[in-house]
Amino acid sequence: MKLRSFHRLALLLLLAAYGGVAPASAGGSWAFLKNVGVSGMHMQLLHTDRLILFDRTNVGPSNLTFPSGHPCRLNPQDDWFHNTTDCTAHSVEYNVSSNTFRGLSLVTDTWCSSGHVAPDGTLVQNGGWKEGTRKIRLLRACAGGDTSCDWAEQSAPVVLASDRWYATNQKLPDGRAIIVGGIGQPSYEFYPKTATNNRAFALPFLGQTDTLYPFVHLNIDGNLFIFAGNRAILFDYTRDVIVRNYTMLGDGSDLRTNPNAGSSVLLPLKPNPTEAEVLICGGTKDTANDAAAHGHYPPALTTCGRLKITDENPTWIVEDMPSPRVMGDMILLPNGEVAIVNGAIDGLGGWESANNSNPTTVIYRPDLPFQGPTSRFELQSPGGVTPRPRMYHSSAALLRDGRVVVGGSNPHQFYVFENAKFPTDVTLEAFSPYYLDGSNNGLRPNIFAPSPKAGPVKVTYRGKLKLQFFARDGVPGSVTMVAPAYTTHAFSQNQRHLFLTVEVKPLQAFEMNGPDAKPFPGFYEATVDMPATPILAPPGYYMLFVVNGRIPSQGIWVHIQ
């Protein structure tokens, strides 16, 4: 088969084209992946298609013992091991393509910590509990057959300025990250540290609401949307000034951040966006904590709030999920939809603080018109295995092939594998959304240049990227860019999704049959405009997808700086 350029007839295909396509029927499937021996309280996909997950270190021995000769951990400050050696792993590198894994070494406690991926692809993880609460740990990304990458714990003075347990990291346009909140910490600080910027800064708003894992999103104006409890602000971190206070979500009795554990996403940004919206779903009433302490588990919230944070006087649009959910994860999919997985229908986040899991999988379609509080949600009916309960301390992440991987769940103080309604879970599973069903094979684009196997493609702000792809049916009209997120405690930190401006033209292909050449349709070339500024897409690695209606391709990695 030979390819050559066809005529210059081009189509400007933006998000509007995507929005006009009717949703496919509910489907998809769940599959068991692996028992990795470590419970995935925290999860981050790297640009090498390696998934990093880790738990606490003071929970006792994990189910993954290091091979003979691997150094064991000795931490006299560890609550469980004290002065004895620990030869089990508390972190895992999972290789997505080979479905294999290996243990990684942690020293100090990473319990309920936060993190982000630096512009160069290094995983930065910070905070934790007790001796780990000010620690900064780095993990470079291994590629190919390299298995030498491991956690490197930084020593003083490379430490946090304040104790950070249950904090949130948000990447910034200049390549730094801001670290916000944590138990007893109504403040923020930056990483990397500089001689003139190495302290914490007070943020009283958190003390008035909730300091645990606040929802933080980078707005398109460069300010930070920060939500805690049931209130939100727009914060100019460069001037240490609250730009605006948003209206309360709910009547004051609905709580959304931890331990009440709703979830939040910045909805996909349109090309050259002039507006941005946030969706917050689930959580509990303010009475849930006291009720759980007395052995009662009130229903979680079914409601979501959607807010156009760029409007001058925005108001929350309240929508309803198909079922109550607390401790759920909301994952932005390549096509701009939101998958909602994991969690419980009652109780709240904490040890033995919920009584019934939520096994359902839901798709939210933000582009659909609002025709009532349930109109944008679709309950899925996936095939395959029945997903395991994923309660407190579970996580989820989008993979480059379009699947959503889930792991973790340990609603106990220590590892409990027997005689428990919800035992500690050390497995990984994957949800394949409906767009991966075989019935959509004809619509699924296949990128062949650049090759998905060739490694990340370097791109620049305001630059252009050429893509060549095949789709048997339809004309793919959208290209999206998705940031891999750091997920823990029902919130995916740094999750970001952009629709890009794209110009698509057909390529002429011929299938040779002896001396005869037969036209072979379905080949296209796209010229994609990269984001204009790092405010829209902070520097680093992203997954890039071609989308045909609602059916995405497998992604390729791009590195923008």
Side-chain angles (χ1 to χ4, degrees):
M1 186 179 296
K2 296 182 179 180
L3 288 174
R4 63 179 178 85
S5 296
F6 194 51
H7 53 78
R8 295 294 299 176
L9 177 62
L11 303 173
L12 191 63
L13 297 163
L14 302 179
L15 185 58
Y18 151 82
V21 178
S25 59
S29 64
W30 281 95
F32 177 83
L33 295 180
K34 210 75 171 179
N35 183 326
V36 296
V38 173
S39 192
M41 182 189 300
H42 317 79
M43 188 178 288
Q44 172 74 62
L45 179 69
L46 301 181
H47 66 275
T48 53
D49 293 318
R50 310 289 177 88
L51 185 72
I52 307 301
L53 57 97
F54 55 98
D55 195 10
R56 301 161 54 187
T57 59
N58 66 350
V59 75
S62 76
N63 282 8
L64 179 60
T65 301
F66 284 121
S68 177
H70 190 284
C72 296
R73 184 174 71 103
L74 178 62
N75 179 5
Q77 296 174 291
D78 190 284
D79 276 1
W80 178 282
F81 293 96
H82 301 295
N83 288 310
T84 61
T85 55
D86 174 18
C87 296
T88 64
H90 300 280
S91 178
V92 162
E93 178 198 67
Y94 172 74
N95 188 317
V96 175
S97 62
S98 65
N99 194 31
T100 58
F101 64 95
R102 65 185 182 94
L104 301 174
S105 300
L106 289 167
V107 178
T108 56
D109 194 17
T110 50
W111 184 14
C112 301
S113 52
S114 57
H116 67 280
V117 176
D120 68 354
T122 298
L123 175 54
V124 180
Q125 188 278 324
N126 47 262
W129 196 52
K130 287 197 172 181
E131 82 284 358
T133 194
R134 294 198 180 193
K135 292 294 186 181
I136 295 171
R137 308 165 187 89
L138 305 179
L139 178 65
R140 68 178 178 87
C142 268
D146 186 3
T147 58
S148 64
C149 306
D150 210 336
W151 290 104
E153 192 162 294
Q154 308 302 288
S155 302
V158 185
V159 294
L160 298 176
S162 297
D163 297 346
R164 301 288 174 190
W165 189 30
Y166 290 82
T168 297
N169 288 29
Q170 172 61 55
K171 294 171 66 172
L172 299 174
D174 62 5
R176 295 181 300 162
I178 188 171
I179 306 167
V180 183
I183 288 181
Q185 295 295 343
S187 64
Y188 64 94
E189 59 185 284
F190 299 95
Y191 178 86
K193 303 294 183 185
T194 65
T196 59
N197 200 6
N198 60 0
R199 66 181 182 90
F201 302 83
L203 186 56
F205 165 76
L206 295 178
Q208 300 160 7
T209 51
D210 184 11
T211 61
L212 280 68
Y213 284 123
F215 301 150
V216 182
H217 301 291
L218 178 64
N219 193 14
I220 60 173
D221 62 3
N223 295 316
L224 298 176
F225 175 87
I226 302 177
F227 184 98
N230 51 29
R231 292 169 51 196
I233 60 172
L234 192 64
F235 183 63
D236 183 347
Y237 64 90
T238 65
R239 298 186 296 134
D240 193 31
V241 170
I242 294 177
V243 176
R244 65 160 53 169
N245 289 276
Y246 294 97
T247 57
M248 181 181 295
L249 175 54
D251 61 5
S253 65
D254 296 346
L255 299 178
R256 308 282 182 169
T257 49
N258 270 272
N260 308 92
S263 190
S264 176
V265 292
L266 178 71
L267 291 174
L269 300 175
K270 296 178 182 179
N272 304 310
T274 58
E275 57 186 38
E277 293 184 273
V278 165
L279 179 71
I280 297 172
C281 287
T284 77
K285 289 292 186 182
D286 56 9
T287 56
N289 207 338
D290 287 341
H294 292 87
H296 304 294
Y297 309 100
L301 300 177
T302 61
T303 55
C304 301
R306 178 166 169 170
L307 185 70
K308 192 171 292 185
I309 62 175
T310 46
D311 274 6
E312 186 174 346
N313 294 298
T315 57
W316 292 96
I317 296 174
V318 177
E319 305 186 46
D320 281 316
M321 295 183 289
S323 59
R325 197 178 299 257
V326 60
M327 300 178 286
D329 286 291
M330 295 203 297
I331 303 299
L332 293 169
L333 299 176
N335 61 4
E337 299 173 346
V338 184
I340 306 176
V341 296
N342 295 348
I345 63 171
D346 56 21
L348 78 166
W351 294 329
E352 287 88 29
S353 294
N355 196 44
N356 291 282
S357 69
N358 191 328
T360 66
T361 306
V362 174
I363 296 292
Y364 177 82
R365 296 189 169 93
D367 62 298
L368 294 183
F370 181 75
Q371 296 178 333
T374 63
S375 61
R376 293 176 171 137
F377 293 94
E378 184 181 62
L379 181 65
Q380 303 297 283
S381 302
V385 303
T386 300
R388 295 166 175 250
R390 301 286 176 180
M391 306 287 280
Y392 190 48
H393 288 159
S394 58
S395 56
L398 175 69
L399 301 179
R400 187 167 58 89
D401 58 19
R403 293 178 298 165
V404 175
V405 63
V406 301
S409 187
N410 185 21
H412 313 288
Q413 184 174 3
F414 300 106
Y415 279 164
V416 178
F417 294 106
E418 297 177 347
N419 302 318
K421 184 174 183 179
F422 301 111
T424 302
D425 200 298
V426 294
T427 67
L428 294 177
E429 296 173 292
F431 171 59
S432 296
Y434 69 90
Y435 52 66
L436 292 174
D437 291 352
S439 58
N440 291 314
N441 285 348
L443 293 168
R444 186 170 300 110
N446 288 282
I447 302 172
F448 58 85
S451 169
K453 299 180 179 180
V457 179
K458 292 183 179 181
V459 295
T460 59
Y461 295 102
R462 296 189 183 276
K464 293 185 182 295
L465 174 65
K466 296 283 189 181
L467 297 173
Q468 293 184 338
F469 54 89
F470 173 78
R472 189 185 70 198
D473 302 323
V475 181
S478 299
V479 173
T480 63
M481 203 165 92
V482 185
Y486 179 102
T487 303
T488 189
H489 288 77
F491 180 53
S492 293
Q493 301 172 27
N494 298 293
Q495 187 169 210
R496 202 168 186 84
H497 185 294
L498 300 93
F499 279 89
L500 305 177
T501 300
V502 56
E503 190 179 30
V504 178
K505 65 178 183 180
L507 293 175
Q508 196 171 41
F510 296 97
E511 185 176 23
M512 304 304 297
N513 183 13
D516 300 322
K518 178 182 178 182
F520 198 98
F523 289 90
Y524 300 93
E525 181 176 81
T527 302
V528 185
D529 292 348
M530 289 294 107
T533 72
I535 291 175
L536 297 178
Y541 288 90
Y542 292 77
M543 294 174 280
L544 187 140
F545 303 87
V546 174
V547 184
N548 186 5
R550 295 182 181 271
I551 311 302
S553 67
Q554 176 176 284
I556 63 171
W557 285 103
V558 297
H559 188 209
I560 189 166
Q561 280 189 309

